Amino acid sequence: MVNSIPLIKTPKDELKQPSDNLDVTYQQAGIVQRVMGKRLKEGWGDAAVIPDLKKRTDAEKKIQDKYFGHNDEIKDVSRFSGKFPSFKPLLEGLNFVLNMKDIKVLNVKNKFRDPDVLGYADININAAYKLADGTYHIFELQLHLEAIILVKEKVHDFYDIIRKSIPKIVGDGFTVDETNQIKAFVLGCLRNSAVDSAIDILLEKSGGVFLYTRLLEESFAQLAKKFPGIKIDFRSVEALPEGLREFYRTNMDRIFAEGTSNSFRIECFIFISLICAAQEPLTQAMVKQIMGKDAFERVKSKLSLLFPAGVGERINIVHKSLIDWLLRNKDNAVEDHLGIVEYFVSNTALKKANGELCSICQKV
């Protein structure tokens, strides 16, 4: 829909009122305001907004500031706008204008295709109405979406401060295009809020596991309550939420319930050590070849909650933090048998698993 809007552009030196006398321009604008206002009300209905003529003082200031005193270059003494609920009626409103009699459409600027540096978008039109004497008075039309207008009104004061401040800060050493690029960069940084960045970081850390996200939320809430006003560096969040550690330990307790044989515990930790040693998800066939078919089948179903089967018969992990939890003592000098009791993979067990994997890979 955006690309279907016609692009019409008239050279600037042809966009001039028939008179350079501002009094005459206002007389002509009054005629256009009455005639076009009625037509737009009939065509656009409640979407049509018919304001008063531009204030004389505002027009004179604009002529001096923007048009260097050339009275015939002001084009919005007579102006109209339309506020539409969605894009379809907006396009219908545009087509109504394009097909009007007694007017010439001189410019159609499609800001939906190229929003300004503040992110604002509308359709801006310069058109000329044919007067009784055969001359054409230029007026302005703006077609808006209601939702964009609502947002614009809420943030206008803040953006107006930014819009006016940046050129003052930048100074006179830059072109208009360069100044707009600086505006776009600054506003882009402002739009990319700390909250958005934090969410992106935490989503990446969650690995798609809602439990991790929920527990992380609870951990931050507890931290904020304990230390009011604390600033959290989300990129440095490495420690597991307390609840997640408990989640892993509870599941291990269920797997190795009272009465579980030592031989089964050892088989399980051979399996777990292999997963921790691998740099990528292992195939079930590879683990089965190392452990033996019978041992693998006994272990597989028991550990499936934490180590589910993935695509291509590979063995996945419920979340990457599980590996961090299992390897929490890999740099400490601890006895191997404690790992089976306390649910961690020792450095010795990790080295042995690496050797087994290297041996299998060499045979492939």
Side-chain angles (χ1 to χ4, degrees):
M1 283 189 177
V2 171
N3 293 329
S4 68
I5 297 170
L7 176 63
I8 302 173
K9 190 171 181 63
T10 298
K12 285 186 178 181
D13 58 359
E14 297 179 23
L15 290 172
K16 293 184 178 181
Q17 301 291 5
S19 174
D20 63 359
N21 185 316
L22 195 56
D23 290 334
V24 173
T25 296
Y26 264 84
Q27 290 172 3
Q28 294 174 345
I31 296 170
V32 173
Q33 200 77 359
R34 288 192 299 273
V35 176
M36 288 301 303
K38 183 179 178 181
R39 287 189 186 182
L40 291 172
K41 278 290 186 183
E42 292 172 352
W44 288 355
D46 292 338
V49 179
I50 317 298
D52 295 330
L53 295 180
K54 193 180 193 76
K55 287 183 179 179
R56 181 77 177 231
T57 52
D58 291 345
E60 290 171 347
K61 186 176 188 306
K62 187 171 186 178
I63 288 168
Q64 292 302 318
D65 294 347
K66 186 173 182 179
Y67 302 121
F68 303 101
H70 298 293
N71 291 338
D72 57 355
E73 293 187 17
I74 191 163
K75 295 171 281 292
D76 62 346
V77 173
S78 174
R79 65 272 173 88
F80 311 91
S81 62
K83 296 182 181 180
F84 301 91
S86 64
F87 215 80
K88 183 179 178 182
L90 184 145
L91 286 180
E92 292 171 350
L94 172 63
N95 288 328
F96 175 77
V97 172
L98 295 177
N99 293 316
M100 270 188 178
K101 294 181 180 180
D102 298 327
I103 74 165
K104 292 191 296 187
V105 176
L106 305 173
N107 278 340
V108 175
K109 188 171 184 180
N110 179 8
K111 292 184 182 177
F112 289 103
R113 193 171 184 176
D114 184 24
D116 65 20
V117 296
L118 301 179
Y120 179 75
D122 64 7
I123 297 175
N124 190 285
I125 298 172
N126 287 129
Y129 174 75
K130 188 176 182 180
L131 299 164
D133 62 0
T135 60
Y136 284 86
H137 178 86
I138 300 173
F139 61 96
E140 182 182 81
L141 285 161
Q142 290 181 320
L143 285 71
H144 309 280
L145 287 176
E146 290 176 353
I148 292 180
I149 286 292
L150 180 63
V151 173
K152 182 185 178 184
E153 289 172 352
K154 288 185 176 297
V155 302
H156 175 74
D157 291 343
F158 300 106
Y159 276 149
D160 200 44
I161 292 170
I162 296 167
R163 181 179 60 82
K164 292 177 180 177
S165 298
I166 292 175
K168 293 178 182 177
I169 296 169
V170 170
D172 300 327
F174 295 91
T175 65
V176 173
D177 287 342
E178 289 170 338
T179 301
N180 282 337
Q181 288 175 17
I182 295 170
K183 283 184 187 177
F185 173 77
V186 172
L187 292 168
C189 291
L190 292 172
R191 290 191 191 103
N192 184 19
S193 68
V195 174
D196 291 338
S197 299
I199 289 172
D200 290 342
I201 294 165
L202 297 180
L203 279 176
E204 181 182 353
K205 289 182 179 293
S206 74
V209 177
F210 288 110
L211 174 64
Y212 182 94
T213 309
R214 174 61 178 166
L215 293 172
L216 201 57
E217 178 190 11
E218 291 177 357
S219 294
F220 285 148
Q222 292 170 5
L223 193 62
K225 187 176 181 180
K226 188 174 181 180
F227 303 103
I230 188 174
K231 291 185 178 180
I232 300 170
D233 181 0
F234 293 98
R235 293 190 181 279
S236 65
V237 174
E238 300 293 345
L240 299 174
E242 289 297 328
L244 202 54
R245 294 193 193 97
E246 191 59 34
F247 170 74
Y248 293 147
R249 182 169 292 280
T250 299
N251 275 277
M252 287 294 191
D253 286 341
R254 289 172 182 167
I255 293 167
F256 304 113
E258 188 176 350
T260 301
S261 67
N262 284 334
S263 60
F264 179 70
R265 286 174 178 269
I266 291 170
E267 287 174 346
C268 285
F269 267 83
I270 291 173
F271 177 98
I272 291 170
S273 298
L274 291 169
I275 302 301
C276 288
Q279 297 298 311
E280 60 182 31
L282 296 175
T283 63
Q284 295 187 41
M286 183 178 289
V287 178
K288 191 182 299 183
Q289 189 174 351
I290 295 172
M291 293 184 63
K293 181 179 178 181
D294 292 340
F296 174 79
E297 294 299 336
R298 283 193 295 271
V299 168
K300 175 187 170 185
S301 60
K302 282 287 188 179
L303 296 177
S304 61
L305 180 63
L306 298 177
F307 301 95
V311 178
E313 292 297 296
R314 291 184 179 272
I315 302 168
N316 290 334
I317 55 173
V318 67
H319 187 262
K320 57 189 177 182
S321 62
L322 173 60
I323 301 299
D324 296 334
W325 182 71
L326 290 166
L327 294 178
R328 62 191 183 278
N329 284 322
K330 71 181 179 67
D331 296 325
N332 299 328
V334 291
E335 297 180 22
D336 290 350
H337 73 277
L338 284 178
I340 297 175
V341 177
E342 294 296 328
Y343 312 136
F344 64 81
V345 175
S346 67
N347 191 36
T348 304
L350 199 60
K351 287 181 179 178
K352 184 176 180 181
N354 271 315
E356 296 280 6
L357 292 172
C358 286
S359 178
I360 289 292
C361 290
Q362 288 171 1
K363 294 177 182 179
V364 175

